[in-house]
Amino acid sequence: MISDGPAGDPAPGPAEHIAKHTPAHAPEPVDGPADPGTVRPGGRTARVRDAVLRAAGDALARHGFAGLDLAEVAQRAEVGKTTVYRRWGSTTALVADLLADMAESSVSRTETGSLLGDLRANAHLVRRTLTDERQGALFKAVIAAATCDPRTSAALHTFYATRIKEWAPCVEAAIARGEVPAGTDPHEVIRAVSAPLYYRLLASGDPLDEASAERAATAAAAAARAGAYVR
């Protein structure tokens, strides 16, 4: 379902996210909206947000949620500490904004003209993201935090809902072509593709290789054609 680096290329350092953040050019505090994610596109405010979210993602990948510190993030982003505290206020708010940004900037779905082709594209995108050194560690940290923090959990659920919604039209198109039965739940099909890949990442420790991505896509497509996901 998720994540995501540029199509056809290995994801650059969720699951599925383009690492587009660049360092801010000025360390001084910047005026702007108090709520995370409500910044004007472009300009200093956007640069500060990009730099802070990039630094937060790096910190999560290196140290996990427990090691995330707003003051350290501000220092690494070369942004005034008061700006970070004023705009985000807590590590959970910062992680929520990071996940929102990841969902917004993730790669769009691939449309190949067949359900199996589309699900393969999704599966390989998820696999590349989860095996990326930075992104895989980042997702593990966020998922671990979500198990004990309600705000992080809600943000993570929103992230995955956004990514599933992005890829669901592939299944809707397959229904229209007659590849799968009417009434098939597109969201369930997309979930079925990524579920075994996340299981390997978080539970079994089995290799997350291209063969596992192929199997996940093929199994989901076969089950959809057989009517397993009809509501």
Side-chain angles (χ1 to χ4, degrees):
M1 38 145 280
I2 104 154
S3 183
D4 301 12
D9 295 324
E16 297 179 7
H17 172 55
I18 302 174
K20 63 184 180 61
H21 308 302
T22 55
H25 298 295
E28 67 269 16
V30 177
D31 293 331
D35 295 333
T38 58
V39 299
R40 296 185 304 273
R44 183 183 294 178
T45 296
R47 291 197 301 271
V48 166
R49 179 174 181 252
D50 283 352
V52 170
L53 295 185
R54 176 70 190 187
D58 289 343
L60 280 169
R62 285 194 305 268
H63 308 304
F65 184 77
L68 187 63
D69 178 77
L70 293 186
E72 181 181 348
V73 167
Q75 182 179 18
R76 290 183 175 276
E78 300 181 7
V79 172
K81 183 169 66 174
T82 56
T83 296
V84 174
Y85 278 95
R86 184 177 69 247
R87 295 182 66 82
W88 287 276
S90 68
T91 54
T92 54
L94 182 56
V95 171
D97 195 24
L98 174 64
L99 284 167
D101 183 72
M102 289 167 65
E104 293 165 4
S105 59
S106 294
V107 164
S108 301
R109 66 181 175 273
T110 297
E111 296 180 355
T112 66
S114 75
L115 178 64
L116 180 56
D118 294 350
L119 297 187
R120 279 174 170 163
N122 178 267
H124 285 289
L125 189 58
V126 172
R127 187 198 71 82
R128 288 197 301 270
T129 299
L130 298 183
T131 55
D132 179 84
E133 183 176 357
R134 179 182 184 273
Q135 290 298 97
L138 193 159
F139 273 105
K140 284 182 178 179
V142 171
I143 292 170
T147 63
C148 56
D149 178 75
R151 184 165 187 174
T152 304
S153 177
L156 184 64
H157 294 164
T158 299
F159 170 84
Y160 284 117
T162 300
R163 297 308 299 150
I164 291 171
K165 184 178 179 180
E166 170 65 25
W167 283 83
C170 294
V171 183
E172 294 168 1
I175 296 172
R177 290 191 298 263
E179 284 190 72
V180 296
T184 295
D185 187 332
H187 290 192
E188 287 297 328
V189 176
I190 301 303
R191 291 187 187 105
V193 175
S194 59
L197 304 179
Y198 276 90
Y199 178 82
R200 285 172 176 263
L201 175 75
L202 299 170
S204 73
D206 294 327
L208 257 174
D209 51 17
E210 292 189 3
S212 64
E214 281 289 320
R215 282 193 297 271
T218 301
R225 288 193 294 267
Y229 303 113
V230 173
R231 295 184 184 90

